[in-house]
C-alpha cells in the first residue's frame, strides 16, 4: 500500500514537473523567431548554448557536483547533440523559411519520437493504445504539413521534422540518465560539454554592429538561453524520470496550443483554422490515451 502510494505520488510529481517544463518550452519557437529575424541562426544557437552553459557551469561549481562517470559521457553527448545543438540549430534555420506558428504544429510529433527513443534507449514498453493515439496525432501533423507544403516551405518543414527527431532522442536519453545523475545535472553537464565548441562559434558569428540589433531580438535570445535551454530542462527531465518517458512525454502535445497563443500575441502571426484543428486533434489524442489506459 505504501509503495503504491509513493508510486502514485511520484507519478503526479512527474506530471506537474513535466507540465511546468512544457509551459516554459512553449515560448521557445516564438522567442527564437524574434532572435533569427535579426541574427544568424548559428549565432543564436551558439549564444543560447554558451549563455546557458556558463550558467550551468557556475551552478555545478557552486554545489560542488561530482563529475559524470565515464559510462555516462556518451549519453551526455547524445543529449548535447539532440537538445543543445541539433534542435536549436535546425529550428532556427527552419524559422528563416516558415512562421513560428507553422513550425509549432510540428511539435505535435515530439511525444511520438520521444516515446520511440524511450523504448530504444530507455527500455520502456507503452501499451498498444498509446501507439494508436500517438500515431493518429502524428498523422494529423504530417497531413497538415503536406497540405501546407505549397504555400509554406518544404525546406522549413524538413528542417523541423529532423529537428523533432533529434530532440526526441535528446529528451529520452536525458530522461534515462536523470534517474542516476539527476535532472538539472544532466542538462548542466550536457551544456558544459558543448562550451568549447559554442563559445568560438559565438564570436565567429557575432552580429556587427551589435548596436543595430533591436531589444526584441535580444529579449528572444535571453528567453531561449535561460528558460528554453536551462530552467525548462530542469523540470522536464525530472518529470520524465518520475512519471515515465512515454507518458509524461505526451504533455508535449499541449505545447503547440500554448505556442500558437504566444505567436499570435507577440508576433501578430496569423493562426489558421487548420492550425487550431490540428492542435486540438493532437490534444484529444493524448487525452484519449490517458483515459483508456486507466
Amino acid at each position: 500500500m505504501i509503495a503504491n502510494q509513493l508510486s502514485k505520488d511520484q507519478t503526479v510529481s512527474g506530471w506537474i514537473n513535466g507540465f511546468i517544463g512544457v509551459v516554459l518550452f512553449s515560448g521557445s519557437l516564438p522567442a527564437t523567431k524574434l532572435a533569427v529575424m535579426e541574427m544568424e541562426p548559428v549565432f543564436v544557437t551558439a549564444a543560447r548554448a554558451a549563455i546557458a552553459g556558463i550558467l550551468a557551469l557556475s551552478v555545478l561549481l557552486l554545489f560542488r557536483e561530482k563529475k559524470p562517470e565515464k559510462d555516462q559521457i556518451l549519453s551526455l553527448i547524445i543529449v548535447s547533440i539532440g537538445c543543445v545543438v541539433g534542435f536549436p540549430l535546425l529550428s532556427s534555420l527552419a524559422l528563416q523559411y516558415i512562421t513560428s506558428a507553422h513550425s509549432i504544429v510540428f511539435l505535435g510529433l515530439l511525444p511520438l519520437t520521444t516515446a520511440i527513443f524511450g523504448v530504444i534507449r530507455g527500455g520502456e514498453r507503452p501499451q498498444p493504445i498509446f501507439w494508436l493515439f500517438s500515431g493518429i496525432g502524428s498523422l494529423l501533423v504530417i497531413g497538415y504539413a503536406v497540405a501546407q507544403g505549397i504555400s509554406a516551405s518544404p525546406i522549413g518543414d524538413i528542417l523541423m521534422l529532423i529537428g523533432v527527431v533529434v530532440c526526441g532522442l535528446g529528451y529520452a536519453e536525458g530522461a534515462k540518465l536523470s534517474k542516476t545523475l539527476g535532472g538539472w545535472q544532466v542538462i548542466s553537464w550536457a551544456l558544459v560539454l558543448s562550451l568549447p565548441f559554442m563559445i568560438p562559434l559565438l564570436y565567429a558569428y557575432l552580429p556587427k554592429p551589435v548596436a543595430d540589433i533591436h531589444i526584441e531580438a535580444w529579449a528572444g535570445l535571453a528567453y531561449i538561453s535561460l528558460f528554453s535551454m536551462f530552467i525548462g530542462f530542469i523540470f522536464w527531465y525530472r518529470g520524465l524520470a518520475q512519471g515515465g518517458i512515454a507518458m509524461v512525454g505526451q504533455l508535449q502535445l499541449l505545447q503547440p496550443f500554448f505556442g500558437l497563443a504566444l505567436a499570435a500575441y507577440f508576433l501578430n502571426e496569423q493562426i489558421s483554422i487548420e492550425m487550431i484543428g490540428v492542435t486540438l486533434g493532437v490534444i484529444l489524442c493524448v487525452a484519449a490515451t490517458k483515459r483508456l489506459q486507466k
Side-chain angles (χ1 to χ4, degrees), residues 44-114:
V44 172
T45 302
R48 67 188 283 178
I51 294 169
I54 293 171
L55 175 61
L57 180 59
S58 301
V59 175
L60 288 169
L61 292 174
L62 178 64
F63 288 98
R64 299 180 180 179
E65 288 293 318
K66 293 181 180 179
K67 294 181 180 179
E69 302 292 336
K70 289 184 179 180
D71 60 351
Q72 296 175 326
I73 297 298
L74 177 59
S75 290
L76 286 171
I77 291 174
I78 293 174
V79 173
S80 186
I81 291 173
C83 299
V84 178
V85 180
F87 181 76
L89 178 59
L90 290 166
S91 59
S92 294
L93 291 169
L95 286 168
Q96 291 189 312
Y97 301 95
I98 56 180
T99 66
S100 67
H102 183 87
S103 69
I104 283 167
V105 178
F106 285 86
L107 297 181
L109 293 170
L110 261 176
L112 181 59
T113 59
T114 303

Side-chain angles (χ1 to χ4, degrees), residues 216-227:
E216 292 83 2
W218 290 119
L221 179 59
Y223 185 91
I224 57 179
S225 299
L226 298 177
F227 294 100

Side-chain angles (χ1 to χ4, degrees), residues 74-258:
L74 177 59
S75 290
L76 286 171
I77 291 174
I78 293 174
V79 173
S80 186
I81 291 173
C83 299
V84 178
V85 180
F87 181 76
L89 178 59
L90 290 166
S91 59
S92 294
L93 291 169
L95 286 168
Q96 291 189 312
Y97 301 95
I98 56 180
T99 66
S100 67
H102 183 87
S103 69
I104 283 167
V105 178
F106 285 86
L107 297 181
L109 293 170
L110 261 176
L112 181 59
T113 59
T114 303
I116 290 172
F117 285 116
V119 170
I120 296 172
R121 299 292 300 173
E124 294 197 351
R125 294 293 182 268
Q127 296 180 19
I129 197 70
F130 169 87
W131 297 112
L132 172 63
F133 283 101
S134 285
I136 293 173
S138 299
L139 287 174
L140 285 172
V141 175
I142 293 171
Y144 169 81
V146 172
Q148 296 295 310
I150 297 175
S151 59
S153 168
I155 296 176
D157 290 352
I158 291 171
L159 288 169
M160 280 303 302
L161 283 171
I162 298 173
V164 163
V165 171
V166 299
C167 188
L169 172 60
Y171 280 173
E173 194 70 26
K176 182 187 73 172
L177 191 56
S178 293
K179 295 177 181 179
T180 55
L181 190 59
W184 72 268
Q185 292 90 339
V186 167
I187 190 58
S188 295
W189 286 116
L191 286 164
V192 169
L193 284 177
S194 73
L195 276 178
F197 306 96
M198 295 297 103
I199 291 178
L201 284 174
L202 186 155
Y203 283 103
Y205 285 88
L206 187 69
K208 298 176 182 179
V210 174
D212 288 348
I213 305 298
H214 291 90
I215 187 65
E216 292 83 2
W218 290 119
L221 179 59
Y223 185 91
I224 57 179
S225 299
L226 298 177
F227 294 100
S228 304
M229 198 77 269
F230 187 62
I231 298 174
F233 274 102
I234 296 174
F235 292 99
W236 183 240
Y237 278 146
R238 183 182 300 168
L240 291 176
Q242 291 174 327
I245 297 171
M247 290 308 301
V248 175
Q250 288 287 285
L251 284 170
Q252 293 168 108
L253 289 176
L254 298 173
Q255 192 170 332
F257 182 79
F258 296 133

